[in-house]
Amino acid sequence: MTSGGTVVPDGGVTGPRSPMARIGALYSGYWRLAGDLAGIAVGASPVSPAAGDWRFQDRAWTEHPYYRRLGQAYAASCAVADETLDDLARSGRATPAARFLLTILESAAAPTNTLLGNPAAVKRAYETGGLSLLRGMKNFAGDVLHNRGMPSTVDRSVYQVGRDFAITPGAVVDRDPCAEVIQYAPGTEQVQARPVLIVPPPIGRYYFLDLRPGRSMVEYAVSRGLQTFMLSWRNPTREQADWTLDTYAGRVLTAIDAVREVTGAPDIDVIGFCAGGILLTLALNHLAAVGQAPVHSASYAVTLLDWGQEVPIKAFSASRLLALARWNSARAGVITARDMGSAFTWMRPDDLVWKSWVNNYLMGDKPPAFDILAWNADGTNLPAALHAQFLDIFEHNPLAVPGRLTCLGTPVDLGTITLPTYVTGGVTDHLTPWTSCYRTTQLLSGPSTFVLSNAGHIQSLVNPPGNPKAVFYTGAEPGPDPQAWLAGAQQHTGTWWTHWADWILAQSAGTKAAPPQLGSAAHPALDDAPGCYVRDLVPATAER
């Protein structure tokens, strides 16, 4: 008999699906750990923490016998726990939630999270006569009072939107209660006749795309002669609890119309980022259904349209957790930026929790001043109705099945979208894995280009030219298998920004003289960029 394993003489089965095999694997792991710990105790074990692990960079972890053994014991314990969970996963007994929980437990158990288990913190306390510990206590008290007891990841007081961030010149040329449309000043004397509209996610503020000079995709786009427009979503409150996918996708459509009117272009190029790509897709689906063609091409940056594959965020997919999330946002009218941020934070606890814990409390240092972390801490809410719909997409994957979802009165069928598309993913993206982003090339029907960046979720987006570490991959027309595409892909030094701009320019509708002023008679300039909504200012006229 067989059952996912191999036949043995007595008729039993061994393999990952056999209960006896699983029990044997557990005992084997425990005995191996016991052997490792014995070898560590007598100084005869080769086990060590990973070479690039920032937690174990102090020389004491290799030179001091106590710390060397402590680090080895931690590494050996985590290795056995990981292998045990891997075996349970092969047998179908482990879920993404179990992996998520184990990651948190292993991260929390690191000896570097304690004073005596962190040689660098002990040295700092000795060198400062204990002042580092006093400063750490002050930092801890401040976080308890102002950050729900979570260690602050960044000093937000250093930066200001409109002064340090989002300073590319431009003007708001369209505003309604949901979003503003910003037109950016041209950076060249001649501009592309066909403009580009950027659709950022409604989760977070748009200025990660206009971070600082030299780190701004907007700045780069206008330098390439692209007439660039940005949707800037309003930060909703309880009063906007009933905003839905219809609200946001409908706003994408009116933004497209505004951009065409301002520029006089018959059609435009659009690019959606993360969840903004979902909203863009729903708008494109509606345009296809009604037979309108105001969009020439669509680009997608780290966007998931097919949620059927295993992704790390599935750790939150348990039905009871999702039901609790729906109830919580419905009760409050919104899900707050803080609540959403907490979930994403615990997906990378080493870097986003314990690194700040060590820095702020054990070392007694102030949180660093880092632009992308400051943006990350400046979150936005989601309306309860939209949040519930996103959870349904996350849980039931209706976008990938024709007719399962309706938006703007139109059944969603991604195969009806036949535009040329440009799709990106990030090699180390922990939120939207690149192989899942790749699926977009198969769901839409038009000719597609896929580009893979060597960075993570946000790092792949804030990726300006000139970064010597930046690498991206291009390949042939994407087929069904992402690994086959990667096997034939070419590596390039640089950023996908340049490749994307080249792709847009290759489809040029010609050039024209840069407009002498921003806006038009129908869409006059209302305010200078970065506008009001990104700073949580709501003009009275926006409520009309």
Side-chain angles (χ1 to χ4, degrees):
M1 59 180 289
T2 62
S3 179
T6 57
V7 180
V8 293
D10 62 0
V13 177
T14 63
R17 296 188 179 277
S18 164
M20 293 302 296
R22 290 198 298 272
I23 294 173
L26 289 174
Y27 276 111
S28 175
Y30 295 149
W31 281 112
R32 190 171 75 82
L33 177 59
D36 285 342
L37 294 178
I40 290 168
V42 299
S45 173
V47 174
S48 64
D53 193 329
W54 63 265
R55 297 171 297 179
F56 300 97
Q57 295 302 301
D58 192 279
R59 291 172 56 185
W61 291 108
T62 56
E63 297 178 359
H64 192 285
Y66 166 74
Y67 284 113
R68 184 176 66 253
R69 288 171 171 80
L70 183 61
Q72 288 178 312
Y74 173 72
S77 300
C78 289
V80 168
D82 290 339
E83 290 176 7
T84 301
L85 188 63
D86 287 343
D87 182 70
L88 292 174
R90 286 190 292 270
S91 69
R93 297 300 184 90
T95 65
R99 174 68 64 186
F100 175 69
L101 180 59
L102 180 61
T103 298
I104 291 178
L105 293 175
E106 289 180 349
S107 183
T112 48
N113 298 334
T114 66
L115 177 61
L116 294 181
N118 191 316
V122 172
K123 292 176 187 176
R124 175 67 64 84
Y126 176 77
E127 292 168 353
T128 63
L131 288 178
S132 62
L133 300 181
L134 292 177
R135 290 194 295 263
M137 292 174 63
K138 180 181 178 181
N139 290 342
F140 179 76
D143 284 336
V144 168
L145 291 174
H146 304 296
N147 202 41
R148 293 187 179 181
M150 291 290 289
S152 298
T153 58
V154 67
D155 183 359
R156 290 181 56 190
S157 66
V158 174
Y159 298 110
Q160 181 178 319
V161 177
R163 184 194 68 190
D164 307 289
F165 297 148
I167 63 173
T168 300
V172 175
V173 296
D174 187 48
R175 177 188 290 133
D176 73 0
C178 185
E180 296 173 327
V181 176
I182 300 171
Q183 179 185 12
Y184 290 97
T188 55
E189 292 184 359
Q190 293 286 314
V191 297
Q192 290 295 309
R194 182 182 293 123
V196 174
L197 172 64
I198 300 174
V199 183
I203 306 168
R205 303 184 192 269
Y206 81 82
Y207 65 83
F208 72 94
L209 297 167
D210 187 23
L211 200 57
R212 290 189 291 118
R215 283 168 60 78
S216 165
M217 186 174 186
V218 170
E219 177 190 51
Y220 177 74
V222 298
S223 77
R224 294 295 303 272
L226 300 180
Q227 294 191 80
T228 305
F229 292 76
M230 176 76 71
L231 259 177
S232 174
W233 301 110
R234 179 179 177 178
N235 187 15
T237 63
R238 177 185 288 272
E239 285 69 32
Q240 291 80 45
D242 60 348
W243 285 3
T244 63
L245 288 171
D246 282 2
T247 310
Y248 283 81
R251 185 61 179 105
V252 173
L253 293 177
T254 59
I256 291 170
D257 290 339
V259 172
R260 292 172 62 215
E261 194 283 326
V262 168
T263 61
D267 58 11
I268 72 172
D269 296 307
V270 291
I271 178 170
F273 288 79
C274 198
I278 295 176
L279 304 176
L280 171 60
T281 300
L282 296 175
L284 295 176
N285 176 83
H286 178 73
L287 291 172
V290 299
Q292 297 180 9
V295 176
H296 174 264
S297 75
S299 301
Y300 291 89
V302 295
T303 294
L304 276 191
L305 299 182
D306 185 349
W307 290 85
Q309 302 183 52
E310 285 298 329
V311 296
I313 201 171
K314 287 281 188 177
F316 302 102
S317 63
S319 57
R320 291 185 180 180
L321 283 178
L322 296 178
L324 177 61
R326 290 187 184 92
W327 174 83
N328 187 50
S329 62
R331 175 184 56 83
V334 295
I335 179 171
T336 65
R338 187 186 297 269
D339 288 339
M340 283 189 291
S342 295
F344 294 127
T345 291
W346 284 107
M347 293 185 69
R348 293 175 57 200
D350 284 345
D351 293 329
L352 299 181
V353 179
W354 298 111
K355 194 170 192 175
S356 297
W357 172 280
V358 171
N359 178 81
N360 301 359
Y361 309 150
L362 301 186
M363 303 298 289
D365 291 333
K366 291 183 63 176
F370 185 47
D371 52 15
I372 199 64
L373 290 178
W375 165 81
N376 190 58
D378 185 18
T380 58
N381 307 322
L382 272 186
L386 180 65
H387 177 235
Q389 289 177 312
F390 275 154
L391 291 180
D392 286 340
I393 291 173
F394 171 56
E395 184 176 13
H396 301 298
N397 195 29
L399 285 172
V401 182
R404 286 276 299 274
L405 177 67
T406 297
C407 183
L408 298 172
T410 305
V412 175
D413 182 354
L414 301 187
T416 63
I417 300 174
T418 59
L419 306 174
T421 56
Y422 185 100
V423 181
T424 78
V427 171
T428 58
D429 191 333
H430 68 292
L431 292 179
T432 57
W434 78 267
T435 52
S436 297
C437 294
Y438 183 94
R439 276 283 296 152
T440 296
T441 67
Q442 307 302 299
L443 293 172
L444 308 182
S445 296
S448 188
T449 297
F450 184 76
V451 176
L452 180 61
S453 171
N454 70 328
H457 191 72
I458 294 299
Q459 295 92 333
S460 68
L461 303 180
V462 185
N463 197 2
N467 178 2
K469 298 181 180 179
V471 170
F472 66 95
Y473 301 85
T474 63
E477 178 79 14
D481 185 355
Q483 297 299 337
W485 176 90
L486 181 60
Q490 292 182 316
Q491 177 179 310
H492 308 270
T493 299
T495 167
W496 67 270
W497 289 7
T498 59
H499 189 269
W500 170 77
D502 290 343
W503 184 81
I504 293 289
L505 295 175
Q507 307 173 68
S508 174
T511 62
K512 66 179 185 178
Q517 61 186 24
L518 302 181
S520 67
H523 291 91
L526 304 174
D527 293 293
D528 289 338
C532 295
Y533 286 168
V534 74
R535 295 176 291 177
D536 285 337
L537 303 175
V538 182
T541 55
E543 298 297 348
R544 295 205 296 267

